[in-house]
Amino acid sequence: MMEGNSTAGSSTSSQFSVADLVVVVVYFSLNLAVGIWSSCRVNRNTVSGYFLAGRDMAWWPIGASLFASSEGSGLFIGLAGTGAAGGIAVTGFEWNATYALLALAWVFVPVYISSGIVTMPEYLQRRFGGERIRMYLSSLSLLLSIFTKISTDLYSGALFVQVCLGWDLYLSTVLMLVVTGLYTIAGGLAAVIYTDTLQTLIMVLGAITLAVKAFNEIGGYPKLEEAYLKAVPSKVVPNTTCHLPRADAMHLFRDPVSGDLPWTGMTFGLSIMATWYWCTDQVIVQRSLSAKSLSHAKAGSILASYLKMLPLFIIIMPGMISRVLYPDAVACVDPEECTRVCGAAVGCSNIAYPKLVVELMPSGLRGLMIAVMMAALMSSLTSIFNSSSTLFTMDIWRKLRPGASERELLLVGRVVTVVLVALSVVWIPILQSSSGGQLYIYIQAVTSYLAPPVTAVFILAVFWPRANEQGAFWGLMVGLALGLARMGLELMHPTPRCGVPDHRPWLLAHLHYLHFAALLCAATGAVVVGGSLLTPPPPPARLKDLTWWNLSREPHQTSVDSRSQGPPNGSCSATLDTQQPSKAEGPPAVALRDTTEPHFWAHICSINALILVCVNIFCYAYFA
């Protein structure tokens, strides 16, 4: 794999000019400055300060951070690559998020605020009692982080840097990891949220610039469909059709049986995965829980939803244009040719976006796009490192050492980040040999095997007071067994390459992973309901403030802040204590733990949410 990639890179590195280098250096200097400034603003030597940004974030950085956390470089490369390979249907993964984000702000965040929790497993422990669900969820989240989120972002970011600069894949990855890790360990969540805001701005502006140049190359949007359907590589596999673009490339809704992304799966299965990601995943919910008030959390969700409408136009369609302009490289199907172009025999659609940047961007702007991709990588990684260290510290370490001091918890959080960095670096050689052409679909598939049981349990925990610990635990176990069984089959029988007959078992060949996600969620829900009805109901005390039907309207003190004595003396925060004691010690301000909100802003948020849903439905209908 490395030979192909290094040849791709070395021919382009000469195009990387001094102007590009200057842009990259200036960008990273800015980034570091913002990180240090935000770390000084928020007192990060209390647990609430380091992990929840002092619960004092306004709506705009929350919205930008929600968007940036989900748009890692893996998604940039994955969305453009899947767009190049199959057209616009992959947009559904982005647009479906609108409904999950609204559910997060209007349904789940009020419940989480009412219960006064910091991590998602902590919520389930309060709701059901016992330790086993909380420990299982924490472990599952950490594993998912290492093997799907961190590994994808690392591979994609390194692939991008290598294609563009010709640097060694391993070297560029380690360098980015070191910068990202240092910066997360030093700053906590405030640094992550403020730099996310800066990176979102640069990502969107850079991607828009590239999209405009790409559309100009093919003569504008009206020419896209015609040009895409003619984008065929010169070397093909005889007696096959896999080199031809899909006839339904410009349609979001595809055949439920023969479609590569069937509309039934994109509606039902994807909604379940989206609910897991946006409403129960630590990385995302942590952003919303750091809001000043419920209105700010709602407005942040609305902003993120609008930003999620952009990827079709600034990532996916440019990926399709890349296939039009460079069909022999991006659309290759012959295994030997693909290995020569990008080092991956299964296909080279992943290089669609880097190829556009290298070929189309003028000097200086090319440097900006490199900075954008590094920004996307760092944004996603900082979010994951920070949230994973929160999970381990709050859910696993405090169980092992109940008497742990504030200083010890903070130290453990930072050590966990270092361990995650080390595991990720060890994982890189395995990624180098993985099938690059399948990366984006691999992530979605793994999610569809492991996430639906968690979605089912959270929905029942919030809406069905009768659900109890036994039902929830055995539901999760049955769901995990079914999901791992399907995942094992998938690893033993990978999707055949172009021209190779498909001899996979029926369950793989004919049951799409998105349909499997819906069935898995339903099966888990059935086990939870059955198990709960066969065992005693939870006592009323177990439900207080913890379900949708009995939200607390009182200001609620979070569990973590109760441990916050004054901070140990340290850097920025030691000087900050004298100016802002309320952030450092004592109870947080009322608004931070209160589910009530001013009627005026509640109405403004609701009206904006309605407008957003109308825009979303219109876009779906237009491209259906």
Side-chain angles (χ1 to χ4, degrees), residues 25-85:
V25 170
V26 167
Y27 167 73
F28 274 105
S29 306
L30 255 176
N31 211 14
L32 212 59
V34 169
I36 293 167
W37 169 78
S38 61
S39 299
C40 289
R41 273 188 83 247
V42 174
N43 175 12
R44 59 196 178 77
N45 277 0
T46 61
V47 176
S48 177
Y50 183 81
F51 291 126
L52 286 178
R55 294 192 192 267
D56 193 25
M57 301 305 294
W59 62 274
W60 56 272
I62 290 173
S65 181
L66 284 170
F67 174 69
S69 295
S70 66
E71 300 292 323
S73 58
L75 221 60
F76 256 76
I77 285 178
L79 284 173
T82 308

Side-chain angles (χ1 to χ4, degrees), residues 459-519:
I459 288 175
L460 288 169
V462 169
F463 290 111
W464 193 46
R466 182 67 178 77
N468 64 15
E469 198 270 349
Q470 290 92 328
F473 179 74
W474 290 110
L476 286 172
M477 290 300 108
V478 169
L480 179 69
L482 292 173
L484 288 177
R486 163 84 190 220
M487 193 170 160
L489 275 176
E490 195 86 47
L491 292 173
M492 291 189 315
H493 304 281
T495 309
R497 278 207 312 262
C498 183
V500 179
D502 189 350
H503 294 309
R504 293 177 299 163
W506 181 89
L507 190 67
L508 287 184
H510 299 289
L511 181 62
H512 195 277
Y513 64 87
L514 289 170
H515 292 149
F516 178 79
L519 294 174

Side-chain angles (χ1 to χ4, degrees), residues 18-306:
V18 177
D20 294 324
L21 200 62
V22 169
V23 170
V24 172
V25 170
V26 167
Y27 167 73
F28 274 105
S29 306
L30 255 176
N31 211 14
L32 212 59
V34 169
I36 293 167
W37 169 78
S38 61
S39 299
C40 289
R41 273 188 83 247
V42 174
N43 175 12
R44 59 196 178 77
N45 277 0
T46 61
V47 176
S48 177
Y50 183 81
F51 291 126
L52 286 178
R55 294 192 192 267
D56 193 25
M57 301 305 294
W59 62 274
W60 56 272
I62 290 173
S65 181
L66 284 170
F67 174 69
S69 295
S70 66
E71 300 292 323
S73 58
L75 221 60
F76 256 76
I77 285 178
L79 284 173
T82 308
I88 68 169
V90 72
T91 309
F93 285 99
E94 297 294 286
W95 288 2
N96 190 282
T98 294
Y99 303 99
L101 274 162
L102 294 179
L104 168 68
W106 266 261
V107 177
F108 288 88
V109 166
V111 173
Y112 298 150
I113 288 178
S114 167
S115 56
I117 50 97
V118 171
T119 70
M120 299 300 95
E122 185 187 355
Y123 168 73
L124 286 191
Q125 189 203 15
R126 290 200 177 185
R127 170 66 177 82
F128 293 123
E131 292 294 333
R132 50 189 187 171
I133 292 181
R134 180 172 179 166
M135 295 293 271
Y136 163 76
L137 269 190
S138 300
S139 309
L140 182 72
S141 299
L142 287 169
L143 285 175
L144 273 171
S145 290
I146 293 167
F147 297 121
T148 62
K149 298 174 187 172
I150 297 176
S151 56
T152 324
D153 283 335
L154 280 180
Y155 172 73
S156 307
L159 180 77
F160 191 98
V161 172
Q162 194 184 31
V163 168
C164 293
L165 305 186
W167 290 2
D168 171 59
L169 187 79
Y170 198 85
L171 177 74
S172 55
T173 311
V174 171
L175 179 76
M176 286 188 284
L177 261 179
V178 167
V179 175
T180 307
L182 278 175
Y183 163 82
T184 314
I185 294 164
L189 187 63
V192 174
I193 291 185
Y194 278 105
T195 46
D196 271 354
T197 311
L198 172 74
Q199 285 161 1
T200 307
L201 188 66
I202 293 177
M203 278 160 64
V204 172
L205 292 178
I208 288 171
T209 309
L210 182 59
V212 169
K213 286 191 73 69
F215 276 114
N216 284 342
E217 285 289 317
I218 61 162
Y221 173 73
K223 302 274 177 65
L224 176 60
E225 183 171 11
E226 182 191 349
Y228 180 80
L229 292 176
K230 291 177 183 168
V232 177
S234 51
K235 275 186 85 171
V236 300
V237 178
N239 304 318
T240 64
T241 58
C242 47
H243 58 279
L244 297 172
R246 291 186 65 91
D248 57 5
M250 297 302 288
H251 297 282
L252 278 179
F253 291 135
R254 299 192 174 169
D255 190 277
V257 179
S258 62
D260 57 338
L261 293 169
W263 73 264
T264 42
M266 293 296 279
T267 306
F268 303 109
L270 180 55
S271 298
I272 288 160
M273 288 155 64
T275 304
W276 167 77
Y277 182 73
W278 293 103
C279 302
T280 76
D281 186 57
Q282 182 68 19
V283 174
I284 296 299
V285 175
Q286 200 176 356
R287 303 279 164 283
S288 290
L289 287 181
S290 65
K292 283 180 182 178
S293 67
L294 191 53
S295 296
H296 279 276
K298 288 180 177 179
S301 272
I302 291 169
L303 174 62
S305 298
Y306 278 119

Side-chain angles (χ1 to χ4, degrees), residues 47 398 401-406 409 559-565:
V47 176
R398 283 210 310 188
R401 286 182 51 80
S405 67
E406 181 98 8
L409 289 177
S559 61
V560 175
D561 278 319
S562 61
R563 291 177 168 257
S564 292
Q565 309 308 318

Side-chain angles (χ1 to χ4, degrees), residues 352-370:
Y353 205 79
K355 187 87 176 156
L356 268 189
V357 172
V358 171
E359 302 289 347
L360 293 189
M361 287 298 233
S363 184
L365 281 180
R366 194 184 303 119
L368 176 72
M369 285 308 288
I370 299 285

